[in-house]
């Protein structure tokens, strides 16, 4: 019963997204074009080398295919949304309702993302199969991937929520949102796989949460990691889920206590 | 004309004051813009740790084309992105007549309505980063002029495309996809023309014209011109400009005010 109102939010957000279908269609086509661009670039990289840093051309395409799918799921706009509602004072409306602001916004975001994820993932995978034959991943890896991806989603939502909360101090957090989005994408392995990074860089990235949003799930899916690496990775991911969850709760609680609204 | 210039100056002043209201946001936007450059350069560097060259291009050449693509993006943000976001929202909300009813040429003022000052500093820094790798002794004055002309041509193409997509808002209501899409465009714009297989080259010149954005500028700077590509770039730019004017005028007939 408690969750019903939040589930209704997913439905509303889902319907809102459906209402503007042309955006969905356009962003899908752009996804395909960007993927084609990445394929063109890497084709040139592999022109004179069959294997580069342990990757074949097809493996790198599989990496970017799943990087795109994951980015549809975890590249959330939650930070912008929070920044906007703080900036224009609408946060007061949320505070007056018998709901948790964070849960409300997260469920709204999940509703927005859900249609994109289902439709685009199916079409991306189908197109890849048509053009490249097979992806080469086992069912067990897919199941594990989904579990890990759920934790990646929680990390991402909390991280962007935390970033958006900086608007309580700065009034407008669009700048910090943009800067962190690109930084996160890079550190998470969304631009190039982390195995291309120098060793010292990789050691730092291993303890940060970003790798567990892109690179880790993809490597689990493609079977590039051993059992111990997967278990320790899930452990680190779980710790980050807890840490970020706690940080968002504390930050939001503190910020709301000090928030001033005029003209409610 | 004098009236328009006065208005442009007023809009520029107003936008600067608006940006300065949120100083921390201004600083973070600058950091964001520079983050884009640095992560792309680092990514390129990391890939070059494993291969000596990519498709016949060495690191320095791909670095230059990367900087040109960033400059193209910042120029696009400066004059097109934020302005058309504002216009698309005004069309969707039915508040565009706030401008349409005023006695000035809206199309002339469009690049200055929300002139985005936040990208001026990244432009200066990126120009500096670009100049580091350029061999000035081999670039003549005509090459410089040609490079600047074709760079502006690339920005005009982006401006016209954004305008065309914004005009679609007259028919379809909310239409923010072009602004989400354009965020990813530098990824494509920085790919040299030679990388594209023949079969898709035409598509990326005529339908999604990313090849003509900075490739002509790069070719001129390196004195390696493909005159057909240069001609195509100019023709496509003109055609898109006229289409953007047509879609705007035709779209206005479908505009309904909410005020």
């Amino acid at each position: 019963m408690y969750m019903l109102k939040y589930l209704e939010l997913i439905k509303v957000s889902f319907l809102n997204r459906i209402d503007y279908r042309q955006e969905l269609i356009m962003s899908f086509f752009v996804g395909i074009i960007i993927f084609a661009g990445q394929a063109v670039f890497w084709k040139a990289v592999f022109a004179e080398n069959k294997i580069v840093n342990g990757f074949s051309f097809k493996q790198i395409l599989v990496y970017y295919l799943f990087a795109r799918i994951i980015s549809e799921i975890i590249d959330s706009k939650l930070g912008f949304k929070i920044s906007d509602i703080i900036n224009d004072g609408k946060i007061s409306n949320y505070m007056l309702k018998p709901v948790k602001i964070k849960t409300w916004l997260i469920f709204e975001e999940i509703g927005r993302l859900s249609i994109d994820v289902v439709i685009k993932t199916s079409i991306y995978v189908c197109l890849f199969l048509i053009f490249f034959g097979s992806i080469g991943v086992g069912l067990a890896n897919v199941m594990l991937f989904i579990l890990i991806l759920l934790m990646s989603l929680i990390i991402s939502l909390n991280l962007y929520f935390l970033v958006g909360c900086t608007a309580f101090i700065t009034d407008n957090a669009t700048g910090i949102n943009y800067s962190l989005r690109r930084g996160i994408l890079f550190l998470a392995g969304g631009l190039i796989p982390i195995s291309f990074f120098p060793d010292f860089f990789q050691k730092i990235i291993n303890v940060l949460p970003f790798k567990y949003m892109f690179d880790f799930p993809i490597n689990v899916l493609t079977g590039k990691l051993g059992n111990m690496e997967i278990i320790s990775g899930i452990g680190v991911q779980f710790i980050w889920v807890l840490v970020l969850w706690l940080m968002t709760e504390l930050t939001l609680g503190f910020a709301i206590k000090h928030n001033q609204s005029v003209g409610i | 004309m004098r009236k328009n210039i006065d208005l442009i100056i007023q809009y520029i002043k107003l936008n600067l004051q608006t940006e300065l209201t949120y100083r921390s946001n201004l600083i973070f936007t600058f950091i964001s813009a520079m983050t884009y450059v640095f992560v792309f350069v680092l990514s390129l560097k990391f890939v070059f740790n494993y291969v000596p060259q990519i498709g016949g291009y060495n690191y320095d050449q791909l670095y230059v084309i990367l900087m040109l693509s960033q400059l193209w993006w910042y120029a696009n943000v400066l004059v097109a992105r934020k302005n058309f976001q504002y216009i698309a929202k005004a069309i969707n909300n039915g508040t565009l007549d706030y401008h349409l009813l005023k006695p000035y040429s809206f199309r002339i003022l469009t690049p200055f309505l929300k002139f985005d000052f936040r990208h001026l500093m990244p432009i200066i820094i990126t120009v500096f980063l670009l100049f580091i790798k350029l061999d000035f002794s081999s670039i003549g004055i005509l090459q410089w002029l040609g490079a600047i002309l074709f760079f502006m041509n690339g920005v005009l193409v982006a401006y016209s495309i954004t305008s065309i997509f914004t005009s679609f808002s007259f028919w379809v209501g909310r239409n923010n996809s072009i602004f989400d899409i354009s965020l990813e465009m530098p990824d494509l714009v920085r790919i040299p023309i030679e990388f594209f297989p023949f079969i898709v080259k035409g598509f990326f010149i005529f339908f999604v014209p990313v090849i003509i954005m900075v490739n002509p500028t790069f070719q001129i700077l390196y004195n390696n011109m493909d005159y057909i590509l240069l001609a195509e770039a100019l023709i496509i730019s003109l055609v898109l400009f006229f289409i953007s004017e047509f879609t705007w005028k035709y779209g206005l007939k479908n505009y309904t005010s909410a005020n």
Side-chain angles (χ1 to χ4, degrees):
Chain A
M1 195 65 188
Y2 170 76
M3 289 305 286
L4 269 181
K5 58 190 170 198
Y6 295 115
L7 292 176
E8 197 64 23
L9 270 175
I10 294 186
K11 191 177 144 193
V12 171
S13 198
F14 181 88
L15 291 173
N16 187 279
R17 184 71 174 147
I18 293 266
D19 205 24
Y20 297 104
R21 285 177 291 273
Q22 76 284 355
E23 279 188 6
L24 186 66
I25 296 165
M26 282 292 292
S27 67
F28 163 69
F29 280 112
V30 169
I32 301 273
I33 290 168
I34 298 292
F35 182 70
Q38 284 165 335
V40 163
F41 177 80
W42 284 97
K43 182 82 183 158
V45 174
F46 282 90
E48 290 165 14
N49 312 277
K50 283 246 182 292
I51 300 287
V52 177
N53 190 26
F55 283 92
S56 66
F57 177 55
K58 193 173 172 183
Q59 281 173 329
I60 208 93
L61 288 188
V62 170
Y63 185 94
Y64 279 104
L65 170 73
F66 285 102
R68 177 136 290 276
I69 291 170
I70 292 175
S71 80
E72 299 287 355
I73 299 169
I74 68 169
D75 195 14
S76 152
K77 288 185 177 168
L78 192 59
F80 293 105
K81 171 87 183 181
I82 297 159
S83 169
D84 285 348
I85 63 169
I86 294 169
N87 188 236
D88 58 23
K90 281 183 187 159
I91 191 144
S92 312
N93 297 342
Y94 290 85
M95 286 156 76
L96 292 172
K97 288 184 180 118
V99 291
K100 280 189 165 185
I101 298 173
K102 186 177 148 190
T103 319
W104 176 294
L105 293 171
I106 285 179
F107 273 79
E108 223 175 39
E109 185 66 7
I110 290 171
R112 193 188 68 80
L113 290 170
S114 54
I115 187 164
D116 287 47
V117 172
V118 174
I119 293 178
K120 289 183 191 169
T121 303
S122 327
I123 301 176
Y124 287 147
V125 172
C126 287
L127 285 175
F128 191 91
L129 290 173
I130 291 167
F131 285 105
F132 300 101
S134 67
I135 295 175
V137 294
L139 187 65
N141 291 34
V142 174
M143 303 303 282
L144 200 56
F145 172 74
I146 292 170
L147 174 79
I148 290 169
L149 203 55
L150 277 175
M151 290 215 280
S152 305
L153 180 64
I154 298 171
I155 290 179
S156 153
L157 289 171
N158 280 292
L159 201 60
Y160 285 118
F161 190 91
L162 210 54
V163 173
C165 281
T166 54
F168 277 113
I169 303 161
T170 60
D171 290 337
N172 189 335
T174 43
I176 189 165
N177 259 306
Y178 275 119
S179 90
L180 281 173
R181 272 161 82 91
R182 185 52 64 160
I184 289 170
L185 192 65
F186 172 68
L187 293 172
L191 289 182
I192 55 164
I194 286 176
S195 60
F196 277 86
F197 289 34
D199 286 343
F200 75 95
F201 226 127
Q202 286 193 40
K203 280 177 189 159
I204 299 168
I205 288 173
N206 280 341
V207 291
L208 296 174
F210 314 118
K211 173 187 167 172
Y212 302 94
M213 293 159 71
F214 269 88
D215 194 82
F216 178 64
I218 298 173
N219 284 339
V220 169
L221 183 71
T222 51
K224 275 190 173 285
L225 301 177
N227 288 344
M228 278 314 290
E229 286 171 301
I230 294 174
I231 292 166
S232 64
I234 291 174
V236 178
Q237 208 180 18
F238 189 67
I239 291 168
W240 274 113
V241 167
L242 290 179
V243 169
L244 287 167
W245 186 270
L246 196 66
M247 280 171 75
T248 49
E249 291 293 331
L250 290 174
T251 309
L252 189 64
F254 181 79
I256 284 177
K257 269 184 196 163
H258 294 80
N259 185 46
Q260 290 185 353
S261 282
V262 180
I264 300 171
Chain B
M1 191 62 197
R2 176 65 198 260
K3 183 176 69 182
N4 282 330
I5 293 169
D6 286 347
L7 276 169
I8 287 168
I9 293 167
Q10 285 307 318
Y11 267 114
I12 289 177
K13 266 188 192 171
L14 193 67
N15 284 314
L16 180 63
Q17 285 167 348
T18 311
E19 294 298 349
L20 289 175
T21 313
Y22 301 109
R23 281 181 283 274
S24 55
N25 193 50
L26 186 72
I27 294 164
F28 276 115
T29 306
F30 164 70
I31 294 170
S32 159
M34 292 323 297
T35 311
Y36 269 57
V37 177
F38 288 118
V39 297
F40 282 144
V41 171
L42 278 177
S43 301
L44 191 65
K45 190 86 188 156
F46 293 163
V47 175
F48 267 97
N49 286 340
Y50 292 90
V51 289
Q53 56 176 17
I54 298 174
Y57 280 74
N58 60 30
Y59 172 74
D60 285 358
Q61 288 170 320
L62 282 181
Y63 173 96
V64 167
I65 205 163
L66 176 64
M67 287 304 156
L68 286 172
S69 75
Q70 280 306 125
L71 273 179
W72 166 83
W73 168 245
Y74 294 147
N76 184 16
V77 174
L78 197 72
V79 295
R81 189 178 161 78
K82 208 173 163 188
N83 296 311
F84 283 111
Q85 267 177 327
Y86 169 75
I87 293 169
K89 201 172 172 185
I91 294 169
N92 196 23
N93 293 342
T95 54
L96 190 68
D97 41 327
Y98 171 78
H99 291 285
L100 297 177
L101 294 173
K102 301 261 185 335
Y104 53 63
S105 168
F106 185 63
R107 290 295 271 175
I108 291 175
L109 288 179
T110 297
F112 308 98
L113 289 172
K114 294 282 167 187
F115 191 78
D116 200 338
F117 273 97
R118 298 171 301 176
H119 287 80
L120 268 181
M121 189 54 93
I123 285 181
I124 295 165
I125 295 176
T126 311
V127 167
F128 172 74
L129 292 171
L130 172 69
F131 283 179
I132 290 172
K133 294 282 182 189
L134 283 180
D135 179 11
F136 282 86
S137 60
S138 65
I139 305 171
I141 185 82
L142 278 178
Q143 272 173 279
W144 278 116
L145 288 174
I148 292 167
L149 171 76
F150 276 91
F151 180 79
M152 285 165 64
N153 190 63
V155 177
L156 180 63
V157 170
Y159 185 89
S160 302
I161 292 173
T162 317
S163 173
I164 292 167
F165 273 90
T166 305
S167 301
F168 290 164
S169 300
F170 286 117
W171 292 279
V172 297
R174 194 179 81 178
N175 180 27
N176 290 328
S177 48
I178 184 65
F179 307 111
D180 292 336
I181 292 162
S182 54
L183 271 176
E184 302 204 60
M185 280 301 127
D187 292 7
L188 289 175
V189 168
R190 63 172 196 252
I191 301 175
I193 184 171
E194 289 82 359
F195 287 16
F196 289 90
F198 180 74
I199 198 160
V200 295
K201 212 177 269 184
F203 178 79
F204 283 109
I205 291 176
F206 297 106
F207 294 101
V208 185
V210 288
I211 290 180
I212 60 165
M213 301 297 189
V214 298
N215 269 290
T217 312
F218 175 79
Q219 289 182 351
I220 293 169
L221 287 174
Y222 277 81
N223 211 3
N224 182 27
M225 278 87 88
D226 171 357
Y227 290 104
I228 294 173
L229 181 70
L230 299 188
E232 284 168 348
L234 289 175
I235 292 166
I236 291 166
S237 164
L238 268 177
V239 170
L240 284 173
F241 180 73
F242 284 116
I243 293 175
S244 74
E245 285 298 309
F246 173 76
T247 49
W248 178 258
K249 278 178 190 158
Y250 193 66
L252 269 183
K253 290 179 186 168
N254 288 278
Y255 173 66
T256 318
S257 167
N259 283 349

